Amino acid sequence: MPDARVTVTVHGPDPLSRAGVVRHLEHQPSVELVDRPRPLSDEPRGAVAIMLAERLDDRAGAELRRLVRGGRQRVVLIAGELRETELMAVMEYGVRAVLWQHRTTPKRLLRAVHRAARADRGAPCGVDRRLTDLFPR
């Protein structure tokens, strides 16, 4: 794993799911968890926000746009279910990684956080390449 520590915040409506993600990351030496999200302007460049959303409803979409706004944070989305149009919207917002709830492991989560922290704008990791070919950046 990279030597640089990544600042991470966890967002989402379900406190139990948030606690699970925190539990998986809190003992990782390469992650600095911030339990209270700061104003977006105070987030260090390259900070990663993990957003948990069962579906991309209006509330989740608004939160994703808020997190991505300003370009200081890089967002990793852990989703239960996304239709193709919702996935396209997530890509348009600038989300850096999409993980599926039923397939997310602590190792995959940590890898996505580090990839998001160092990634330039491009197709999000975890997204089918056939779909990203249809949606150029």
Side-chain angles (χ1 to χ4, degrees), residues 50-71:
I50 298 172
M51 174 71 189
L52 303 158
E54 181 61 35
R55 296 193 52 83
L56 189 66
D57 56 16
D58 290 340
R59 181 176 169 186
E63 180 70 0
L64 279 174
R65 287 188 301 276
R66 185 188 74 77
L67 291 170
V68 171
R69 193 175 301 131

Side-chain angles (χ1 to χ4, degrees), residues 66-131:
R66 185 188 74 77
L67 291 170
V68 171
R69 193 175 301 131
R72 296 188 75 83
Q73 294 188 103
R74 286 130 185 225
V75 177
V76 172
L77 173 64
I78 301 175
E81 178 182 332
L82 293 176
R83 294 178 299 217
E84 186 175 322
T85 56
E86 294 167 333
L87 186 54
M88 298 292 270
V90 163
M91 293 173 66
E92 189 174 89
Y93 297 157
V95 169
R96 300 298 174 98
V98 176
L99 299 174
W100 308 107
Q101 280 176 348
H102 68 283
R103 296 190 63 208
T104 299
T105 64
K107 186 176 180 177
R108 285 181 177 159
L109 176 59
L110 185 61
R111 187 173 36 224
V113 164
H114 283 287
R115 283 182 179 167
R118 68 177 183 265
D120 294 325
R121 296 280 295 181
C125 60
V127 175
D128 188 316
R129 186 175 301 280
R130 290 171 298 173
L131 184 56

